[in-house]
Amino acid sequence: MDFSQWGTPSKEWLSFAAANSVMLGISEDHLPPLVQQTNANKARATMSTHLFQSTGLSKLVATQDHVVPTRDGQSLTVRSYRPVLLGSKPLPGYVYYHGGGFIFGAPDTELFNCAWLAHSLSMAVAHVCYRHTPQVKGLTPWHDAVDGFDWVAAHADALGIDASRILVGGISAGGSLTAHVVQTELRRARETGAANRVKGQVLGIPTLVHWKAFPWHLFAGREKTSVVQCKDAAILNGRRLELYSALLGDETDPSNLTWSPALAAEEDLKGMPPTAFLVTGWDPLRDEALWYATKLKNAGVRTNVHIFPGLPHVFYAFMQLPSHKRWNEAMLACMRWAVADEDGWIVENPPVMPPFMEGAAAATSSTDPVTAGASESDAVVNPGNSL
């Protein structure tokens, strides 16, 4: 395999980087992990809350926090989102896992993103806020992801979710959690004979293989792999990738399928629900995503892949980039596709816009807010916090 043709920085990015070199040079990598976590979460939450209020979504989307027990006797938070004007009728559901290198993220950091998705797609969104490093290590985030999904599926009626139309998705680190959840659900369905509770999945710039378990032998040459070609990429580079992995500890084998879901055998992937990918070309994670997409396709799984050539990890956090808008459009398209019926016909259920929002929509349309995984503050405060 060789996907290196998409790994050369694009003219769009090079132009943007030249004009914003000071901003892109900001880094907190020298700070202790807990300090980085506090600073990044505060910045992301502040921006997210501001957008949630200023765009009017706070009046259109209702939220509720739920305390969910975990298998180790602790708990996590699931925050649910529901369009107010759609009443109590069952809606398609989206179980969402945020990005952040397994260290960054909190309920409030995803407030705007989740509300925007709920409103834009007329869906009920459930954000599973798994536990993070350095407070936990090992496979705890993946276990939390499964426990959170099981809770949402079991409480679909109470959450106003159509249990037959549950979509699972995640960004970066959340993509790894998503892949594990969906593989776990596929095994459960096989072993019990019960229906698979996942209608489809969306993997955005996902990490799917621990870097120590990368399948070098499957690629045209070591220097052409994204791990090597993009080791000095903007936003996420090889050094940060290793740092975030190290915070999870070394007690788990890197080839463990929970940690590295892309290592699953093609035979075991048969029957997987439709899977959409959004992949960036100048990204150390590029090849593991495209390799997994290839394996799923070989296993007979319906796949939908969007590639953004020459753009780095979480580039869409910068609204000045023209491709920022295209990412948003592609994300919504992927979610619609993944939750569609098998014949692919999608009957749109447009968001309800009350009269008071018409002026607000016109006033904010030029902002084209960041969606589905990061806020503007991500890249400015800590460029690597969306792994």
Side-chain angles (χ1 to χ4, degrees), residues 49-63 82 84 111-112 115 356-357:
T49 301
H50 168 71
L51 289 172
F52 182 63
Q53 297 291 340
S54 64
T55 59
L57 284 173
S58 60
K59 296 181 174 63
L60 294 172
V61 179
T63 68
R82 186 178 178 83
V84 172
L111 180 62
F112 171 74
F356 78 86
M357 277 296 294

PDB file of all heavy atoms in Angstrom, residues 49-63 82 84 111-112 115 356-357:
ATOM      1  N   THR A  49     -18.706  27.120  25.155  1.00  0.00           N
ATOM      2  CA  THR A  49     -19.850  27.726  25.841  1.00  0.00           C
ATOM      3  C   THR A  49     -20.241  29.047  25.191  1.00  0.00           C
ATOM      4  O   THR A  49     -21.435  29.350  25.031  1.00  0.00           O
ATOM      5  CB  THR A  49     -19.508  27.955  27.323  1.00  0.00           C
ATOM      6  OG1 THR A  49     -19.172  26.703  27.932  1.00  0.00           O
ATOM      7  CG2 THR A  49     -20.693  28.566  28.065  1.00  0.00           C
ATOM      8  N   HIS A  50     -19.241  29.830  24.805  1.00  0.00           N
ATOM      9  CA  HIS A  50     -19.522  31.100  24.128  1.00  0.00           C
ATOM     10  C   HIS A  50     -20.297  30.869  22.835  1.00  0.00           C
ATOM     11  O   HIS A  50     -21.304  31.554  22.558  1.00  0.00           O
ATOM     12  CB  HIS A  50     -18.219  31.829  23.835  1.00  0.00           C
ATOM     13  CG  HIS A  50     -18.375  32.995  22.897  1.00  0.00           C
ATOM     14  ND1 HIS A  50     -19.010  34.171  23.257  1.00  0.00           N
ATOM     15  CD2 HIS A  50     -18.008  33.146  21.590  1.00  0.00           C
ATOM     16  CE1 HIS A  50     -19.021  34.996  22.226  1.00  0.00           C
ATOM     17  NE2 HIS A  50     -18.419  34.405  21.200  1.00  0.00           N
ATOM     18  N   LEU A  51     -19.858  29.917  22.026  1.00  0.00           N
ATOM     19  CA  LEU A  51     -20.541  29.638  20.760  1.00  0.00           C
ATOM     20  C   LEU A  51     -21.948  29.080  21.001  1.00  0.00           C
ATOM     21  O   LEU A  51     -22.892  29.407  20.281  1.00  0.00           O
ATOM     22  CB  LEU A  51     -19.718  28.653  19.931  1.00  0.00           C
ATOM     23  CG  LEU A  51     -18.420  29.199  19.341  1.00  0.00           C
ATOM     24  CD1 LEU A  51     -17.607  28.072  18.716  1.00  0.00           C
ATOM     25  CD2 LEU A  51     -18.706  30.281  18.304  1.00  0.00           C
ATOM     26  N   PHE A  52     -22.080  28.250  22.007  1.00  0.00           N
ATOM     27  CA  PHE A  52     -23.390  27.675  22.345  1.00  0.00           C
ATOM     28  C   PHE A  52     -24.391  28.776  22.673  1.00  0.00           C
ATOM     29  O   PHE A  52     -25.554  28.727  22.245  1.00  0.00           O
ATOM     30  CB  PHE A  52     -23.220  26.733  23.538  1.00  0.00           C
ATOM     31  CG  PHE A  52     -24.479  26.034  23.981  1.00  0.00           C
ATOM     32  CD1 PHE A  52     -25.136  25.144  23.140  1.00  0.00           C
ATOM     33  CD2 PHE A  52     -24.987  26.245  25.258  1.00  0.00           C
ATOM     34  CE1 PHE A  52     -26.281  24.488  23.574  1.00  0.00           C
ATOM     35  CE2 PHE A  52     -26.126  25.603  25.692  1.00  0.00           C
ATOM     36  CZ  PHE A  52     -26.783  24.715  24.844  1.00  0.00           C
ATOM     37  N   GLN A  53     -23.938  29.790  23.384  1.00  0.00           N
ATOM     38  CA  GLN A  53     -24.821  30.892  23.758  1.00  0.00           C
ATOM     39  C   GLN A  53     -25.013  31.878  22.602  1.00  0.00           C
ATOM     40  O   GLN A  53     -26.138  32.271  22.278  1.00  0.00           O
ATOM     41  CB  GLN A  53     -24.238  31.629  24.972  1.00  0.00           C
ATOM     42  CG  GLN A  53     -24.127  30.786  26.227  1.00  0.00           C
ATOM     43  CD  GLN A  53     -25.472  30.436  26.839  1.00  0.00           C
ATOM     44  OE1 GLN A  53     -26.481  31.088  26.570  1.00  0.00           O
ATOM     45  NE2 GLN A  53     -25.499  29.400  27.658  1.00  0.00           N
ATOM     46  N   SER A  54     -23.926  32.284  21.952  1.00  0.00           N
ATOM     47  CA  SER A  54     -23.990  33.363  20.968  1.00  0.00           C
ATOM     48  C   SER A  54     -24.694  32.963  19.676  1.00  0.00           C
ATOM     49  O   SER A  54     -25.249  33.820  18.983  1.00  0.00           O
ATOM     50  CB  SER A  54     -22.582  33.868  20.649  1.00  0.00           C
ATOM     51  OG  SER A  54     -21.799  32.852  20.041  1.00  0.00           O
ATOM     52  N   THR A  55     -24.699  31.692  19.342  1.00  0.00           N
ATOM     53  CA  THR A  55     -25.378  31.247  18.117  1.00  0.00           C
ATOM     54  C   THR A  55     -26.856  30.967  18.332  1.00  0.00           C
ATOM     55  O   THR A  55     -27.576  30.680  17.371  1.00  0.00           O
ATOM     56  CB  THR A  55     -24.712  29.970  17.567  1.00  0.00           C
ATOM     57  OG1 THR A  55     -24.767  28.947  18.567  1.00  0.00           O
ATOM     58  CG2 THR A  55     -23.273  30.231  17.160  1.00  0.00           C
ATOM     59  N   GLY A  56     -27.315  31.023  19.572  1.00  0.00           N
ATOM     60  CA  GLY A  56     -28.719  30.743  19.854  1.00  0.00           C
ATOM     61  C   GLY A  56     -29.024  29.279  20.080  1.00  0.00           C
ATOM     62  O   GLY A  56     -30.179  28.918  20.349  1.00  0.00           O
ATOM     63  N   LEU A  57     -28.012  28.405  19.987  1.00  0.00           N
ATOM     64  CA  LEU A  57     -28.259  26.976  20.180  1.00  0.00           C
ATOM     65  C   LEU A  57     -28.728  26.652  21.593  1.00  0.00           C
ATOM     66  O   LEU A  57     -29.416  25.659  21.817  1.00  0.00           O
ATOM     67  CB  LEU A  57     -26.992  26.176  19.861  1.00  0.00           C
ATOM     68  CG  LEU A  57     -26.671  25.994  18.377  1.00  0.00           C
ATOM     69  CD1 LEU A  57     -25.311  25.344  18.203  1.00  0.00           C
ATOM     70  CD2 LEU A  57     -27.755  25.164  17.684  1.00  0.00           C
ATOM     71  N   SER A  58     -28.371  27.487  22.542  1.00  0.00           N
ATOM     72  CA  SER A  58     -28.797  27.251  23.923  1.00  0.00           C
ATOM     73  C   SER A  58     -30.316  27.283  24.062  1.00  0.00           C
ATOM     74  O   SER A  58     -30.870  26.706  25.003  1.00  0.00           O
ATOM     75  CB  SER A  58     -28.169  28.287  24.851  1.00  0.00           C
ATOM     76  OG  SER A  58     -28.560  29.604  24.479  1.00  0.00           O
ATOM     77  N   LYS A  59     -30.995  27.962  23.122  1.00  0.00           N
ATOM     78  CA  LYS A  59     -32.454  28.024  23.155  1.00  0.00           C
ATOM     79  C   LYS A  59     -33.087  26.935  22.292  1.00  0.00           C
ATOM     80  O   LYS A  59     -34.291  26.703  22.367  1.00  0.00           O
ATOM     81  CB  LYS A  59     -32.933  29.396  22.675  1.00  0.00           C
ATOM     82  CG  LYS A  59     -32.503  30.558  23.564  1.00  0.00           C
ATOM     83  CD  LYS A  59     -33.037  31.874  23.039  1.00  0.00           C
ATOM     84  CE  LYS A  59     -32.745  33.026  23.987  1.00  0.00           C
ATOM     85  NZ  LYS A  59     -31.300  33.265  24.149  1.00  0.00           N
ATOM     86  N   LEU A  60     -32.281  26.314  21.468  1.00  0.00           N
ATOM     87  CA  LEU A  60     -32.814  25.324  20.526  1.00  0.00           C
ATOM     88  C   LEU A  60     -32.521  23.887  20.908  1.00  0.00           C
ATOM     89  O   LEU A  60     -33.187  22.967  20.423  1.00  0.00           O
ATOM     90  CB  LEU A  60     -32.239  25.582  19.124  1.00  0.00           C
ATOM     91  CG  LEU A  60     -32.656  26.886  18.459  1.00  0.00           C
ATOM     92  CD1 LEU A  60     -31.862  27.090  17.177  1.00  0.00           C
ATOM     93  CD2 LEU A  60     -34.143  26.884  18.169  1.00  0.00           C
ATOM     94  N   VAL A  61     -31.526  23.673  21.750  1.00  0.00           N
ATOM     95  CA  VAL A  61     -31.102  22.318  22.109  1.00  0.00           C
ATOM     96  C   VAL A  61     -31.069  22.181  23.624  1.00  0.00           C
ATOM     97  O   VAL A  61     -30.413  22.964  24.311  1.00  0.00           O
ATOM     98  CB  VAL A  61     -29.717  21.994  21.517  1.00  0.00           C
ATOM     99  CG1 VAL A  61     -29.280  20.590  21.928  1.00  0.00           C
ATOM    100  CG2 VAL A  61     -29.734  22.118  19.993  1.00  0.00           C
ATOM    101  N   ALA A  62     -31.785  21.189  24.128  1.00  0.00           N
ATOM    102  CA  ALA A  62     -31.811  20.932  25.564  1.00  0.00           C
ATOM    103  C   ALA A  62     -30.731  19.920  25.921  1.00  0.00           C
ATOM    104  O   ALA A  62     -30.488  18.965  25.175  1.00  0.00           O
ATOM    105  CB  ALA A  62     -33.177  20.392  25.981  1.00  0.00           C
ATOM    106  N   THR A  63     -30.071  20.130  27.048  1.00  0.00           N
ATOM    107  CA  THR A  63     -29.029  19.212  27.501  1.00  0.00           C
ATOM    108  C   THR A  63     -29.376  18.655  28.878  1.00  0.00           C
ATOM    109  O   THR A  63     -30.095  19.282  29.657  1.00  0.00           O
ATOM    110  CB  THR A  63     -27.660  19.912  27.585  1.00  0.00           C
ATOM    111  OG1 THR A  63     -27.690  20.880  28.641  1.00  0.00           O
ATOM    112  CG2 THR A  63     -27.316  20.597  26.265  1.00  0.00           C
ATOM    113  N   ARG A  82     -30.821  17.302  22.766  1.00  0.00           N
ATOM    114  CA  ARG A  82     -32.038  17.034  22.014  1.00  0.00           C
ATOM    115  C   ARG A  82     -32.638  18.344  21.496  1.00  0.00           C
ATOM    116  O   ARG A  82     -32.799  19.300  22.268  1.00  0.00           O
ATOM    117  CB  ARG A  82     -33.057  16.312  22.892  1.00  0.00           C
ATOM    118  CG  ARG A  82     -34.296  15.875  22.148  1.00  0.00           C
ATOM    119  CD  ARG A  82     -35.261  15.113  23.033  1.00  0.00           C
ATOM    120  NE  ARG A  82     -36.437  14.788  22.245  1.00  0.00           N
ATOM    121  CZ  ARG A  82     -36.529  13.746  21.430  1.00  0.00           C
ATOM    122  NH1 ARG A  82     -35.510  12.923  21.310  1.00  0.00           N
ATOM    123  NH2 ARG A  82     -37.628  13.529  20.737  1.00  0.00           N
ATOM    124  N   VAL A  84     -35.067  21.049  20.948  1.00  0.00           N
ATOM    125  CA  VAL A  84     -36.245  21.380  21.747  1.00  0.00           C
ATOM    126  C   VAL A  84     -37.518  21.347  20.901  1.00  0.00           C
ATOM    127  O   VAL A  84     -38.565  20.838  21.335  1.00  0.00           O
ATOM    128  CB  VAL A  84     -36.075  22.765  22.396  1.00  0.00           C
ATOM    129  CG1 VAL A  84     -37.368  23.208  23.075  1.00  0.00           C
ATOM    130  CG2 VAL A  84     -34.917  22.756  23.384  1.00  0.00           C
ATOM    131  N   LEU A 111     -19.724  21.088  24.203  1.00  0.00           N
ATOM    132  CA  LEU A 111     -21.076  21.634  24.296  1.00  0.00           C
ATOM    133  C   LEU A 111     -21.577  22.154  22.956  1.00  0.00           C
ATOM    134  O   LEU A 111     -22.667  21.791  22.491  1.00  0.00           O
ATOM    135  CB  LEU A 111     -21.099  22.751  25.340  1.00  0.00           C
ATOM    136  CG  LEU A 111     -22.424  23.460  25.587  1.00  0.00           C
ATOM    137  CD1 LEU A 111     -23.465  22.482  26.112  1.00  0.00           C
ATOM    138  CD2 LEU A 111     -22.226  24.608  26.592  1.00  0.00           C
ATOM    139  N   PHE A 112     -20.796  23.014  22.317  1.00  0.00           N
ATOM    140  CA  PHE A 112     -21.243  23.576  21.045  1.00  0.00           C
ATOM    141  C   PHE A 112     -21.282  22.525  19.946  1.00  0.00           C
ATOM    142  O   PHE A 112     -22.252  22.439  19.191  1.00  0.00           O
ATOM    143  CB  PHE A 112     -20.339  24.729  20.622  1.00  0.00           C
ATOM    144  CG  PHE A 112     -20.619  25.196  19.215  1.00  0.00           C
ATOM    145  CD1 PHE A 112     -21.758  25.931  18.932  1.00  0.00           C
ATOM    146  CD2 PHE A 112     -19.779  24.865  18.170  1.00  0.00           C
ATOM    147  CE1 PHE A 112     -22.046  26.332  17.639  1.00  0.00           C
ATOM    148  CE2 PHE A 112     -20.044  25.263  16.871  1.00  0.00           C
ATOM    149  CZ  PHE A 112     -21.184  26.004  16.599  1.00  0.00           C
ATOM    150  N   ALA A 115     -24.293  20.202  20.348  1.00  0.00           N
ATOM    151  CA  ALA A 115     -25.551  20.913  20.121  1.00  0.00           C
ATOM    152  C   ALA A 115     -25.722  21.236  18.639  1.00  0.00           C
ATOM    153  O   ALA A 115     -26.823  21.135  18.085  1.00  0.00           O
ATOM    154  CB  ALA A 115     -25.580  22.198  20.953  1.00  0.00           C
ATOM    155  N   PHE A 356     -37.473  34.012  15.895  1.00  0.00           N
ATOM    156  CA  PHE A 356     -36.442  34.828  16.532  1.00  0.00           C
ATOM    157  C   PHE A 356     -35.047  34.437  16.076  1.00  0.00           C
ATOM    158  O   PHE A 356     -34.098  35.188  16.232  1.00  0.00           O
ATOM    159  CB  PHE A 356     -36.533  34.732  18.054  1.00  0.00           C
ATOM    160  CG  PHE A 356     -35.948  33.473  18.645  1.00  0.00           C
ATOM    161  CD1 PHE A 356     -34.595  33.393  18.948  1.00  0.00           C
ATOM    162  CD2 PHE A 356     -36.746  32.369  18.898  1.00  0.00           C
ATOM    163  CE1 PHE A 356     -34.060  32.240  19.500  1.00  0.00           C
ATOM    164  CE2 PHE A 356     -36.211  31.217  19.442  1.00  0.00           C
ATOM    165  CZ  PHE A 356     -34.872  31.158  19.745  1.00  0.00           C
ATOM    166  N   MET A 357     -34.894  33.234  15.473  1.00  0.00           N
ATOM    167  CA  MET A 357     -33.569  32.789  15.061  1.00  0.00           C
ATOM    168  C   MET A 357     -33.179  33.283  13.674  1.00  0.00           C
ATOM    169  O   MET A 357     -32.012  33.217  13.293  1.00  0.00           O
ATOM    170  CB  MET A 357     -33.508  31.253  15.066  1.00  0.00           C
ATOM    171  CG  MET A 357     -33.232  30.647  16.437  1.00  0.00           C
ATOM    172  SD  MET A 357     -31.596  31.133  17.049  1.00  0.00           S
ATOM    173  CE  MET A 357     -30.543  30.313  15.861  1.00  0.00           C
TER     174      MET A 357
END
